[in-house]
Amino acid sequence: QVHLVDSGGGLVQAGGSLRLSCAASRRTFGSYDMGWFRQAPGKGREFVAAFSRGDTYYSASVKGRFTISRDNAKNTVYLQMNSLKPEDTAVYFCAARESGTAYYPVSEASEYGSWGHGTQVTVSS
């Protein structure tokens, strides 16, 4: 329904910064919750940050370091990542779910119906 393209990953040293982008094929404001998830080697997919019904949400591990934002004119969502740590190394995915029919918290990945292909973030020590 909504096609997403995520980008912006790369190799960075600990303490550095990266900004990830998620371009959507249509407007998402007011209709969709937008989220960021990540998956490290050998681990499951975990919640990072999200927009939902006018509010922002963050996992405890990234709160204070990462910031989710959006540019409605460009149909794009961003994830600014500062003070990166080696444990942040993972493939990062943007995702979207319909706000009107969502039931579970934003941290639950199962209700997100659209996903980007993922962008690799590697943080060296």
Side-chain angles (χ1 to χ4, degrees):
Q1 191 172 69
V2 176
H3 298 286
L4 306 175
V5 179
D6 38 31
S7 62
L11 175 64
V12 64
Q13 292 186 340
S17 300
L18 283 174
R19 188 183 72 164
L20 306 184
S21 298
C22 176
S25 61
R26 57 158 56 86
R27 299 185 192 90
T28 57
F29 179 75
S31 299
Y32 293 88
D33 294 342
M34 301 296 297
W36 286 96
F37 293 78
R38 66 187 183 186
Q39 187 165 12
K43 296 184 177 181
R45 189 165 298 182
E46 68 170 332
F47 170 76
V48 177
F51 278 116
S52 178
R53 300 179 176 88
D55 295 320
T56 57
Y57 301 83
Y58 298 92
S59 68
S61 63
V62 308
K63 195 170 187 177
R65 298 189 298 121
F66 292 9
T67 303
I68 187 171
S69 62
R70 68 197 307 165
D71 185 335
N72 292 325
K74 296 181 178 180
N75 295 328
T76 301
V77 175
Y78 303 96
L79 183 68
Q80 179 66 47
M81 305 185 295
N82 298 325
S83 302
L84 285 163
K85 305 174 181 179
E87 49 263 47
D88 293 318
T89 295
V91 177
Y92 284 70
F93 301 86
C94 64
R97 71 177 188 178
E98 295 181 16
S99 300
T101 57
Y103 176 79
Y104 296 104
V106 294
S107 58
E108 173 58 53
S110 64
E111 289 191 324
Y112 289 81
S114 299
W115 294 83
H117 290 168
T119 182
Q120 176 71 50
V121 172
T122 302
V123 184
S124 65
S125 60

